[in-house]
Amino acid sequence: MYKYDSYDQAMVDARVEEFRDQARRRLEGSLSEDEFKPLRLMNGLYLQLHAYMLRVAIPYGTLNSEQMSVLGDIADKYDRGYGHFTTRQNLQYNWIKLEDTADILADLAKVEMHAIQTSGNCIRNISSDHFAGASHDELVDPRPYAELMRQWSSFHPEFTYLPRKFKICVIASEKDRAAMRLHDIGVQIVKNETGEIGARFYAGGGMGRTPMIAPMIREFVPLDQLITYAEACLRVYNRYGRRDNKYKARIKILVHELGRDEYVRQVEEEFAHMLEQGVEPPLEEIARIKPFFADPAFEDGPKQVDRSDPDFALWVDRNTNRHKHDSYVSAVISLKPVGGIPGDATGDQMRLMAKLAKQYSFDELRIMHTQNVVLPHVKIGDLHALWTELEAAGLGSPNLDTIEDMIACPGLDYCALANARSIPLAQRISERFDASGKTEKLGELKLKISGCINACGHHHAGHIGILGVDKKGLENYQLSLGGSEAEDTSLAKITGPGFTEDGVIEAVDKVTDVYLDQREGEERFLDTYRRIGMAPFKEALYG
Amino acid sequence: MDNALGKSPDEVQFRFRNDEMVDHAAVTVDSCCDQTNATAVRIEPGDDARVLLPFLDRLALIEVNFPAFGDGRGYSSARILREAGFTGELRAVGDVGIDQLSHMRRCGFDAFAPDKPLNEEDAKRAFATWENVYQATIDGRQTIPQIRHGG
């Protein structure tokens, strides 16, 4: 994986000192809270319901054992012994003190980590496919391009006070494991008809209160123009994105209001101009970055596991992904134990995952946008030993992509924006479906829960989505069906009137019954919904 | 000399150029286009900086107003003007704080007239925040990728 050189390190170190100085000026009173807020946000520091929350960037979801281990140590030293992995492949600490923050950033900088631009109206951490560099189905490893964009987007002088936050995702396979088209800019690395590698751009996707799927805005951008084109997209947005209403300020609204074609026309005009400006890094830079992501030294070994232990066999079936080398798989460590808080891990668990990565996965881990952790390169022959250790630590849940593997935002338990709690609902649903044994029957079923319309829990993209709202002072939950964040991207539709907490759990049960009753062949819940439509589900819920 | 345009209201706190300052107030973008004697113009966040491109030769000062520091349109305006070859004074005025100085400088601003005078020491440190930079802008600094590959 990527290693900082002295320049990268100096940038991060400079940021720590800059933040230390800002915090000093805030504590001395020369910066007001209004002035300090956007500055601390650009360092990932939020003020939540009960305390400061610090969001640490995990660029394109890739980290090494030492970094994971330090994340665990920080959880123990500065927080309450745990952290929360997020839907943008980051980690959040929930109980942080302002006066500790610069020290935490300094601890992070020692292992080439930071919290730069994990919040604020700037270009956020670049996300990517969690199986990048490992999966059998990718064209190339997307991470060198993501790293190039990470550097370009860090402390960008023109794009630090955008109309609103800006999220970029880079993938390089037809299968979309990163919700690429639900980003402000989605980049897919592709090959054109002459066999040349380049970037396909999508723009104007997003969730939040106005979910939109990004349209394609350019079929092919040559690699030596990648940054220039991105810069043109951003400049048009910075100049013309709405600033009169923060709820209409994301690029999706600009693209929607201008229309895709007019946005494209403006970007192309700016792009033609920018090409004359020499803003593109030398192409050798990509060549410099690429070897950091070279394959580790894979060795041939067993290609099958011993399936005599059914619990182990189930975990292998559920939680591993086919690797490009036939003696390896990518193994998913589920952070969704039955009754647990989705995405939470303790300091001890983080250090254990770090140790296992060192032992079994060439020192590398990934964070998934579905709030789980991946060991990307595990020998098939090592799987049983790995699983045994995970099981012993409560990290062996065999539930990837099942209803128990739900995404849930922190909700009203932590978040200052939330209208309703997400975590207890997630806990109760996983307990119920596990107890009834229905999880296994349902197969792939993506449940996503948000505690408010900002949609951090991706409810618009859930096969089943739940949105918590405030209804006359009471928590109320709306149910929606038919969303997908994958390459068949779709937005879920609301079923009808909302439910109480108990009611929505019943409702989830009912819609899954409709599916079990009506499914044909190998259909997933989503396929059945797409075939039969909303009516039978509505009938079961409200009929 | 008395000037029909009046005196500049700006208190320029930092200036990175040696030529004489324009001593009259800037006009709006609209009047600049109609009026041929104005040598100073003020851009508001909603103005299209490209409207000024035909007049750059006669302009000695372009002020870019930041009514609120969180509105970053002025950064694009500045870069666009410099990219078009503007060599006069580019002055950031309004809600300009310590933490905006380094980025503004990179976008081509060479004078700063903050509403609220800034602490000189803090500002000095802020201008020097980044020993090296990742992005190429019109400030002519060699970028980190360029340095890595021998300039």
Side-chain angles (χ1 to χ4, degrees):
Chain A
M1 56 178 275
Y2 188 71
K3 291 289 292 173
Y4 284 3
D5 65 3
S6 58
Y7 297 106
D8 297 313
Q9 189 67 50
M11 292 301 284
V12 170
D13 291 344
R15 180 62 150 210
V16 175
E17 289 320 304
E18 186 190 41
F19 182 79
R20 201 180 286 284
D21 188 56
Q22 289 163 347
R24 170 188 65 80
R25 281 183 279 131
R26 174 70 194 112
L27 292 167
E28 283 172 10
S30 70
L31 272 183
S32 68
E33 175 54 22
D34 280 352
E35 290 166 325
F36 181 56
K37 185 178 171 187
L39 305 175
R40 64 167 162 75
L41 286 178
M42 275 183 253
N43 284 289
L45 192 65
Y46 282 76
L47 190 53
Q48 290 293 31
L49 279 180
H50 313 293
Y52 280 105
M53 178 269 276
L54 179 67
R55 183 181 292 150
V56 177
I58 301 173
Y60 33 88
T62 294
L63 74 172
N64 64 26
S65 306
E66 186 188 24
Q67 292 171 326
M68 181 64 111
S69 185
V70 165
L71 291 178
D73 293 345
I74 290 173
D76 288 346
K77 187 171 168 191
Y78 298 103
D79 202 293
R80 298 186 179 176
Y82 62 95
H84 178 76
F85 289 98
T86 78
T87 54
R88 292 210 73 253
Q89 304 177 297
N90 294 319
L91 177 82
Q92 292 177 182
Y93 295 111
N94 299 301
W95 308 95
I96 293 299
K97 293 191 187 74
L98 174 59
E99 46 273 37
D100 286 340
T101 308
D103 291 337
I104 299 173
L105 296 179
D107 284 0
L108 289 168
K110 281 183 203 139
V111 291
E112 302 181 10
M113 296 191 90
H114 58 74
I116 295 161
Q117 293 169 211
T118 54
S119 179
N121 294 334
C122 50
I123 304 173
R124 302 288 188 89
N125 185 35
I126 313 274
S127 61
S128 187
D129 185 339
H130 45 257
F131 292 141
S135 189
H136 67 100
D137 57 3
E138 74 183 6
L139 177 65
V140 290
D141 190 332
R143 292 173 301 165
Y145 308 99
E147 171 59 26
L148 187 75
M149 296 189 91
R150 180 192 75 82
Q151 295 184 26
W152 158 74
S153 61
S154 296
F155 323 110
H156 196 294
E158 186 177 341
F159 306 132
T160 296
Y161 298 98
L162 294 168
R164 200 74 179 84
K165 58 187 168 183
F166 204 92
K167 301 175 181 177
I168 299 177
C169 174
V170 185
I171 66 170
S173 59
E174 288 302 321
K175 191 157 174 66
D176 182 0
R177 288 174 280 258
M180 183 268 287
R181 291 186 68 191
L182 294 166
H183 283 74
D184 295 283
I185 283 184
V187 177
Q188 185 184 349
I189 304 298
V190 294
K191 212 178 237 180
N192 69 6
E193 59 283 357
T194 63
E196 189 191 348
I197 301 280
R200 180 174 296 161
F201 271 70
Y202 295 82
M207 295 195 235
R209 54 189 75 202
T210 321
M212 291 194 191
I213 299 171
M216 201 224 293
I217 58 164
R218 205 175 213 264
E219 182 101 34
F220 192 83
V221 178
L223 286 184
D224 59 354
Q225 300 177 350
L226 178 68
I227 295 301
T228 309
Y229 187 78
E231 190 128 339
C233 293
L234 263 297
R235 179 175 283 179
V236 172
Y237 170 58
N238 190 44
R239 299 185 76 207
Y240 298 112
R242 285 181 62 172
R243 292 180 187 259
D244 59 326
N245 178 343
K246 74 181 258 199
Y247 302 119
K248 295 187 189 296
R250 294 286 291 271
I251 192 177
K252 61 192 173 187
I253 303 293
L254 177 69
V255 173
H256 181 72
E257 287 183 353
L258 286 178
R260 177 241 174 227
D261 294 351
E262 174 58 16
Y263 176 71
V264 169
R265 190 193 65 75
Q266 295 188 15
V267 168
E268 289 294 330
E269 205 171 280
E270 196 68 54
F271 181 46
H273 162 73
M274 300 293 267
L275 282 172
E276 307 296 313
Q277 301 303 321
V279 298
E280 191 72 28
L283 199 54
E284 295 84 10
E285 182 59 8
I286 269 286
R288 184 190 73 89
I289 294 171
K290 267 187 189 163
F292 289 109
F293 297 97
D295 283 347
F298 296 129
E299 293 166 3
D300 282 331
K303 299 179 186 358
Q304 303 285 327
V305 293
D306 174 356
R307 301 180 60 89
S308 54
D309 179 340
D311 289 342
F312 171 59
L314 177 66
W315 180 80
V316 171
D317 291 343
R318 274 258 168 260
N319 287 35
T320 63
N321 189 64
R322 192 176 143 201
H323 198 276
K324 62 185 178 188
H325 190 292
D326 62 4
S327 303
Y328 288 78
V329 291
S330 299
V332 175
I333 302 173
S334 169
L335 297 183
K336 317 289 172 66
V338 172
I341 298 175
D344 272 19
T346 64
D348 286 340
Q349 287 176 328
M350 288 185 233
R351 282 184 294 268
L352 175 69
M353 292 189 281
K355 185 202 87 146
L356 295 173
K358 205 173 188 98
Q359 205 172 341
Y360 297 117
S361 184
F362 296 96
D363 205 34
E364 213 181 301
L365 305 101
R366 309 291 177 76
I367 309 306
M368 299 169 73
H369 85 271
T370 53
Q371 306 177 285
N372 295 310
V373 175
V374 178
L375 301 183
H377 315 294
V378 180
K379 272 185 192 162
I380 290 173
D382 284 341
L383 278 175
H384 193 272
L386 169 65
W387 173 75
T388 307
E389 289 203 57
L390 289 173
E391 269 288 275
L395 290 168
S397 302
N399 55 13
L400 182 70
D401 290 339
T402 67
I403 194 167
E404 293 173 23
D405 182 22
M406 71 272 285
I407 288 178
C409 70
L412 200 50
D413 289 291
Y414 294 100
C415 180
L417 301 171
N419 298 121
R421 288 168 303 158
S422 308
I423 292 171
L425 194 57
Q427 292 170 312
R428 289 182 60 193
I429 291 174
S430 73
E431 281 165 354
R432 179 178 178 129
F433 280 78
D434 176 69
S436 70
K438 211 166 157 187
T439 300
E440 196 48 35
K441 279 184 231 158
L442 292 169
E444 182 185 314
L445 204 173
K446 297 187 179 181
L447 173 67
K448 302 180 198 280
I449 307 172
S450 303
C452 80
I453 54 174
N454 292 308
C456 297
H458 292 193
H459 66 278
H460 300 298
H463 297 181
I464 298 177
I466 296 176
L467 165 64
V469 294
D470 177 282
K471 198 176 173 190
K472 295 175 187 145
L474 292 174
E475 292 165 80
N476 190 268
Y477 295 91
Q478 290 179 355
L479 191 69
S480 53
L481 304 176
S484 170
E485 87 286 23
E487 59 282 4
D488 58 350
T489 321
S490 58
L491 300 172
K493 291 196 171 61
I494 293 178
T495 55
F499 304 90
T500 61
E501 183 178 328
D502 288 340
V504 80
I505 295 171
E506 286 300 325
V508 170
D509 213 11
K510 280 182 190 161
V511 295
T512 57
D513 282 340
V514 173
Y515 158 66
L516 291 176
D517 197 43
Q518 302 245 14
R519 80 168 153 198
E520 290 178 359
E522 297 293 298
E523 274 182 347
R524 303 168 300 163
F525 177 91
L526 181 64
D527 303 320
T528 302
Y529 168 82
R530 285 176 174 167
R531 179 173 54 78
I532 68 178
M534 180 66 94
F537 294 97
K538 265 192 153 157
E539 176 61 28
L541 289 170
Y542 308 104
Chain B
M1 187 186 96
D2 195 20
N3 191 305
L5 291 163
K7 208 175 144 37
S8 166
D10 297 336
E11 289 289 337
V12 176
Q13 194 181 0
F14 308 103
R15 194 163 185 271
F16 296 84
R17 41 192 309 136
N18 300 316
D19 56 350
E20 224 168 284
M21 271 205 254
V22 173
D23 64 352
H24 62 77
V27 300
T28 63
V29 169
D30 281 352
S31 27
C32 175
C33 299
D34 303 338
Q35 192 174 327
T36 51
N37 64 337
T39 59
V41 61
R42 170 180 287 225
I43 299 185
E44 297 297 332
D47 291 333
D48 178 3
R50 290 203 163 104
V51 169
L52 294 177
L53 299 192
F55 312 107
L56 292 185
D57 284 351
R58 71 163 150 93
L59 291 173
L61 166 67
I62 301 177
E63 296 182 344
V64 178
N65 187 27
F66 290 87
F69 74 91
D71 186 334
R73 284 177 283 188
Y75 294 82
S76 290
S77 299
R79 264 186 93 188
I80 284 168
L81 292 165
R82 289 298 190 210
E83 284 166 2
F86 178 64
T87 55
E89 178 174 337
L90 195 51
R91 186 186 293 170
V93 304
D95 190 10
V96 174
I98 292 290
D99 301 284
Q100 287 83 52
L101 296 177
S102 63
H103 285 343
M104 285 181 169
R105 193 83 182 90
R106 293 225 62 215
C107 288
F109 288 104
D110 55 8
F112 301 85
D115 282 345
K116 207 165 70 175
L118 305 176
N119 178 297
E120 298 276 341
E121 279 304 303
D122 289 343
K124 201 174 150 195
R125 214 172 15 246
F127 281 121
T129 305
W130 309 110
E131 194 186 339
N132 285 293
V133 294
Y134 284 122
Q135 307 82 3
T137 66
I138 29 47
D139 66 355
R141 291 180 72 174
Q142 240 198 348
T143 66
I144 291 171
Q146 285 164 348
I147 297 168
R148 281 173 179 151
H149 302 286

PDB file of all heavy atoms in Angstrom, chain A residues 305-317 383-385 387-388 391 398:
ATOM      1  N   VAL A 305     -11.517 -25.598   1.032  1.00  0.00           N
ATOM      2  CA  VAL A 305     -11.442 -25.755   2.485  1.00  0.00           C
ATOM      3  C   VAL A 305     -12.076 -27.083   2.881  1.00  0.00           C
ATOM      4  O   VAL A 305     -12.855 -27.666   2.115  1.00  0.00           O
ATOM      5  CB  VAL A 305     -12.187 -24.619   3.237  1.00  0.00           C
ATOM      6  CG1 VAL A 305     -11.472 -23.302   3.029  1.00  0.00           C
ATOM      7  CG2 VAL A 305     -13.652 -24.540   2.815  1.00  0.00           C
ATOM      8  N   ASP A 306     -11.742 -27.547   4.047  1.00  0.00           N
ATOM      9  CA  ASP A 306     -12.388 -28.723   4.625  1.00  0.00           C
ATOM     10  C   ASP A 306     -13.736 -28.267   5.190  1.00  0.00           C
ATOM     11  O   ASP A 306     -13.781 -27.452   6.123  1.00  0.00           O
ATOM     12  CB  ASP A 306     -11.486 -29.275   5.733  1.00  0.00           C
ATOM     13  CG  ASP A 306     -12.137 -30.421   6.498  1.00  0.00           C
ATOM     14  OD1 ASP A 306     -13.325 -30.734   6.210  1.00  0.00           O
ATOM     15  OD2 ASP A 306     -11.470 -30.984   7.377  1.00  0.00           O
ATOM     16  N   ARG A 307     -14.815 -28.761   4.629  1.00  0.00           N
ATOM     17  CA  ARG A 307     -16.139 -28.258   4.991  1.00  0.00           C
ATOM     18  C   ARG A 307     -16.808 -29.101   6.073  1.00  0.00           C
ATOM     19  O   ARG A 307     -18.033 -29.007   6.270  1.00  0.00           O
ATOM     20  CB  ARG A 307     -17.031 -28.198   3.751  1.00  0.00           C
ATOM     21  CG  ARG A 307     -16.469 -27.290   2.649  1.00  0.00           C
ATOM     22  CD  ARG A 307     -17.393 -27.249   1.431  1.00  0.00           C
ATOM     23  NE  ARG A 307     -18.711 -26.738   1.757  1.00  0.00           N
ATOM     24  CZ  ARG A 307     -19.037 -25.445   1.720  1.00  0.00           C
ATOM     25  NH1 ARG A 307     -18.150 -24.537   1.359  1.00  0.00           N
ATOM     26  NH2 ARG A 307     -20.266 -25.063   2.046  1.00  0.00           N
ATOM     27  N   SER A 308     -16.032 -29.905   6.789  1.00  0.00           N
ATOM     28  CA  SER A 308     -16.675 -30.821   7.747  1.00  0.00           C
ATOM     29  C   SER A 308     -17.302 -30.071   8.925  1.00  0.00           C
ATOM     30  O   SER A 308     -18.240 -30.563   9.540  1.00  0.00           O
ATOM     31  CB  SER A 308     -15.672 -31.873   8.228  1.00  0.00           C
ATOM     32  OG  SER A 308     -14.514 -31.238   8.730  1.00  0.00           O
ATOM     33  N   ASP A 309     -16.799 -28.876   9.245  1.00  0.00           N
ATOM     34  CA  ASP A 309     -17.445 -28.082  10.295  1.00  0.00           C
ATOM     35  C   ASP A 309     -18.455 -27.138   9.626  1.00  0.00           C
ATOM     36  O   ASP A 309     -18.071 -26.214   8.914  1.00  0.00           O
ATOM     37  CB  ASP A 309     -16.369 -27.280  11.041  1.00  0.00           C
ATOM     38  CG  ASP A 309     -16.955 -26.412  12.144  1.00  0.00           C
ATOM     39  OD1 ASP A 309     -18.179 -26.128  12.095  1.00  0.00           O
ATOM     40  OD2 ASP A 309     -16.194 -26.010  13.037  1.00  0.00           O
ATOM     41  N   PRO A 310     -19.754 -27.397   9.843  1.00  0.00           N
ATOM     42  CA  PRO A 310     -20.762 -26.616   9.109  1.00  0.00           C
ATOM     43  C   PRO A 310     -20.737 -25.122   9.452  1.00  0.00           C
ATOM     44  O   PRO A 310     -21.024 -24.289   8.590  1.00  0.00           O
ATOM     45  CB  PRO A 310     -22.102 -27.243   9.529  1.00  0.00           C
ATOM     46  CG  PRO A 310     -21.813 -28.053  10.753  1.00  0.00           C
ATOM     47  CD  PRO A 310     -20.357 -28.433  10.715  1.00  0.00           C
ATOM     48  N   ASP A 311     -20.373 -24.789  10.686  1.00  0.00           N
ATOM     49  CA  ASP A 311     -20.308 -23.367  11.052  1.00  0.00           C
ATOM     50  C   ASP A 311     -19.226 -22.657  10.255  1.00  0.00           C
ATOM     51  O   ASP A 311     -19.406 -21.548   9.748  1.00  0.00           O
ATOM     52  CB  ASP A 311     -20.016 -23.204  12.553  1.00  0.00           C
ATOM     53  CG  ASP A 311     -21.201 -23.608  13.409  1.00  0.00           C
ATOM     54  OD1 ASP A 311     -22.328 -23.671  12.847  1.00  0.00           O
ATOM     55  OD2 ASP A 311     -21.009 -23.883  14.601  1.00  0.00           O
ATOM     56  N   PHE A 312     -18.098 -23.334  10.132  1.00  0.00           N
ATOM     57  CA  PHE A 312     -16.991 -22.775   9.366  1.00  0.00           C
ATOM     58  C   PHE A 312     -17.366 -22.681   7.881  1.00  0.00           C
ATOM     59  O   PHE A 312     -17.146 -21.651   7.230  1.00  0.00           O
ATOM     60  CB  PHE A 312     -15.741 -23.643   9.555  1.00  0.00           C
ATOM     61  CG  PHE A 312     -14.600 -23.294   8.641  1.00  0.00           C
ATOM     62  CD1 PHE A 312     -14.052 -22.005   8.650  1.00  0.00           C
ATOM     63  CD2 PHE A 312     -14.080 -24.236   7.757  1.00  0.00           C
ATOM     64  CE1 PHE A 312     -12.989 -21.679   7.797  1.00  0.00           C
ATOM     65  CE2 PHE A 312     -13.022 -23.908   6.904  1.00  0.00           C
ATOM     66  CZ  PHE A 312     -12.484 -22.630   6.922  1.00  0.00           C
ATOM     67  N   ALA A 313     -17.991 -23.734   7.377  1.00  0.00           N
ATOM     68  CA  ALA A 313     -18.369 -23.750   5.959  1.00  0.00           C
ATOM     69  C   ALA A 313     -19.337 -22.603   5.653  1.00  0.00           C
ATOM     70  O   ALA A 313     -19.225 -21.943   4.609  1.00  0.00           O
ATOM     71  CB  ALA A 313     -18.988 -25.090   5.591  1.00  0.00           C
ATOM     72  N   LEU A 314     -20.253 -22.362   6.577  1.00  0.00           N
ATOM     73  CA  LEU A 314     -21.219 -21.271   6.376  1.00  0.00           C
ATOM     74  C   LEU A 314     -20.490 -19.928   6.325  1.00  0.00           C
ATOM     75  O   LEU A 314     -20.763 -19.082   5.469  1.00  0.00           O
ATOM     76  CB  LEU A 314     -22.249 -21.265   7.512  1.00  0.00           C
ATOM     77  CG  LEU A 314     -23.272 -20.116   7.459  1.00  0.00           C
ATOM     78  CD1 LEU A 314     -24.186 -20.240   6.242  1.00  0.00           C
ATOM     79  CD2 LEU A 314     -24.111 -20.080   8.749  1.00  0.00           C
ATOM     80  N   TRP A 315     -19.542 -19.739   7.240  1.00  0.00           N
ATOM     81  CA  TRP A 315     -18.784 -18.480   7.266  1.00  0.00           C
ATOM     82  C   TRP A 315     -18.000 -18.298   5.963  1.00  0.00           C
ATOM     83  O   TRP A 315     -17.980 -17.219   5.384  1.00  0.00           O
ATOM     84  CB  TRP A 315     -17.838 -18.470   8.480  1.00  0.00           C
ATOM     85  CG  TRP A 315     -17.028 -17.214   8.580  1.00  0.00           C
ATOM     86  CD1 TRP A 315     -17.438 -16.008   9.072  1.00  0.00           C
ATOM     87  CD2 TRP A 315     -15.669 -17.031   8.159  1.00  0.00           C
ATOM     88  NE1 TRP A 315     -16.414 -15.090   8.986  1.00  0.00           N
ATOM     89  CE2 TRP A 315     -15.317 -15.688   8.424  1.00  0.00           C
ATOM     90  CE3 TRP A 315     -14.714 -17.868   7.577  1.00  0.00           C
ATOM     91  CZ2 TRP A 315     -14.052 -15.162   8.136  1.00  0.00           C
ATOM     92  CZ3 TRP A 315     -13.456 -17.354   7.292  1.00  0.00           C
ATOM     93  CH2 TRP A 315     -13.136 -16.008   7.573  1.00  0.00           C
ATOM     94  N   VAL A 316     -17.405 -19.381   5.493  1.00  0.00           N
ATOM     95  CA  VAL A 316     -16.648 -19.297   4.235  1.00  0.00           C
ATOM     96  C   VAL A 316     -17.591 -18.916   3.086  1.00  0.00           C
ATOM     97  O   VAL A 316     -17.283 -18.043   2.273  1.00  0.00           O
ATOM     98  CB  VAL A 316     -15.922 -20.625   3.932  1.00  0.00           C
ATOM     99  CG1 VAL A 316     -15.315 -20.607   2.525  1.00  0.00           C
ATOM    100  CG2 VAL A 316     -14.834 -20.891   4.966  1.00  0.00           C
ATOM    101  N   ASP A 317     -18.743 -19.556   3.063  1.00  0.00           N
ATOM    102  CA  ASP A 317     -19.694 -19.266   1.976  1.00  0.00           C
ATOM    103  C   ASP A 317     -20.175 -17.830   2.026  1.00  0.00           C
ATOM    104  O   ASP A 317     -20.312 -17.169   1.006  1.00  0.00           O
ATOM    105  CB  ASP A 317     -20.909 -20.208   2.065  1.00  0.00           C
ATOM    106  CG  ASP A 317     -20.525 -21.646   1.741  1.00  0.00           C
ATOM    107  OD1 ASP A 317     -19.437 -21.843   1.150  1.00  0.00           O
ATOM    108  OD2 ASP A 317     -21.299 -22.559   2.094  1.00  0.00           O
ATOM    109  N   LEU A 383      -7.725 -20.209   6.184  1.00  0.00           N
ATOM    110  CA  LEU A 383      -9.049 -19.701   6.569  1.00  0.00           C
ATOM    111  C   LEU A 383      -9.546 -20.278   7.891  1.00  0.00           C
ATOM    112  O   LEU A 383     -10.141 -19.566   8.701  1.00  0.00           O
ATOM    113  CB  LEU A 383     -10.077 -19.989   5.466  1.00  0.00           C
ATOM    114  CG  LEU A 383     -10.100 -18.991   4.300  1.00  0.00           C
ATOM    115  CD1 LEU A 383     -11.078 -19.490   3.224  1.00  0.00           C
ATOM    116  CD2 LEU A 383     -10.518 -17.602   4.778  1.00  0.00           C
ATOM    117  N   HIS A 384      -9.318 -21.566   8.093  1.00  0.00           N
ATOM    118  CA  HIS A 384      -9.858 -22.171   9.316  1.00  0.00           C
ATOM    119  C   HIS A 384      -9.204 -21.582  10.565  1.00  0.00           C
ATOM    120  O   HIS A 384      -9.884 -21.256  11.546  1.00  0.00           O
ATOM    121  CB  HIS A 384      -9.724 -23.699   9.291  1.00  0.00           C
ATOM    122  CG  HIS A 384     -10.552 -24.350  10.370  1.00  0.00           C
ATOM    123  ND1 HIS A 384     -10.070 -24.568  11.636  1.00  0.00           N
ATOM    124  CD2 HIS A 384     -11.855 -24.758  10.378  1.00  0.00           C
ATOM    125  CE1 HIS A 384     -11.023 -25.105  12.385  1.00  0.00           C
ATOM    126  NE2 HIS A 384     -12.132 -25.226  11.643  1.00  0.00           N
ATOM    127  N   ALA A 385      -7.896 -21.412  10.490  1.00  0.00           N
ATOM    128  CA  ALA A 385      -7.182 -20.831  11.643  1.00  0.00           C
ATOM    129  C   ALA A 385      -7.670 -19.399  11.886  1.00  0.00           C
ATOM    130  O   ALA A 385      -7.887 -18.980  13.032  1.00  0.00           O
ATOM    131  CB  ALA A 385      -5.679 -20.841  11.369  1.00  0.00           C
ATOM    132  N   TRP A 387     -10.599 -18.076  11.032  1.00  0.00           N
ATOM    133  CA  TRP A 387     -11.986 -18.114  11.522  1.00  0.00           C
ATOM    134  C   TRP A 387     -12.042 -18.501  13.001  1.00  0.00           C
ATOM    135  O   TRP A 387     -12.812 -17.914  13.776  1.00  0.00           O
ATOM    136  CB  TRP A 387     -12.793 -19.117  10.677  1.00  0.00           C
ATOM    137  CG  TRP A 387     -14.175 -19.372  11.193  1.00  0.00           C
ATOM    138  CD1 TRP A 387     -15.250 -18.553  11.099  1.00  0.00           C
ATOM    139  CD2 TRP A 387     -14.623 -20.533  11.909  1.00  0.00           C
ATOM    140  NE1 TRP A 387     -16.347 -19.129  11.696  1.00  0.00           N
ATOM    141  CE2 TRP A 387     -15.980 -20.350  12.208  1.00  0.00           C
ATOM    142  CE3 TRP A 387     -13.990 -21.723  12.324  1.00  0.00           C
ATOM    143  CZ2 TRP A 387     -16.739 -21.291  12.898  1.00  0.00           C
ATOM    144  CZ3 TRP A 387     -14.755 -22.662  13.011  1.00  0.00           C
ATOM    145  CH2 TRP A 387     -16.111 -22.440  13.299  1.00  0.00           C
ATOM    146  N   THR A 388     -11.201 -19.432  13.388  1.00  0.00           N
ATOM    147  CA  THR A 388     -11.180 -19.872  14.791  1.00  0.00           C
ATOM    148  C   THR A 388     -10.849 -18.694  15.707  1.00  0.00           C
ATOM    149  O   THR A 388     -11.500 -18.492  16.740  1.00  0.00           O
ATOM    150  CB  THR A 388     -10.141 -21.001  14.981  1.00  0.00           C
ATOM    151  OG1 THR A 388     -10.427 -22.033  14.021  1.00  0.00           O
ATOM    152  CG2 THR A 388     -10.199 -21.594  16.381  1.00  0.00           C
ATOM    153  N   GLU A 391     -13.863 -16.184  15.664  1.00  0.00           N
ATOM    154  CA  GLU A 391     -14.963 -16.723  16.456  1.00  0.00           C
ATOM    155  C   GLU A 391     -14.733 -16.468  17.946  1.00  0.00           C
ATOM    156  O   GLU A 391     -15.625 -16.013  18.664  1.00  0.00           O
ATOM    157  CB  GLU A 391     -15.078 -18.236  16.225  1.00  0.00           C
ATOM    158  CG  GLU A 391     -15.992 -18.644  15.101  1.00  0.00           C
ATOM    159  CD  GLU A 391     -17.464 -18.442  15.438  1.00  0.00           C
ATOM    160  OE1 GLU A 391     -18.059 -19.337  16.055  1.00  0.00           O
ATOM    161  OE2 GLU A 391     -17.993 -17.362  15.071  1.00  0.00           O
ATOM    162  N   PRO A 398     -21.360 -15.006  10.546  1.00  0.00           N
ATOM    163  CA  PRO A 398     -21.394 -15.382   9.125  1.00  0.00           C
ATOM    164  C   PRO A 398     -22.565 -14.702   8.430  1.00  0.00           C
ATOM    165  O   PRO A 398     -23.463 -15.362   7.910  1.00  0.00           O
ATOM    166  CB  PRO A 398     -21.589 -16.898   9.188  1.00  0.00           C
ATOM    167  CG  PRO A 398     -22.429 -17.106  10.425  1.00  0.00           C
ATOM    168  CD  PRO A 398     -22.053 -15.999  11.390  1.00  0.00           C
TER     169      PRO A 398
END
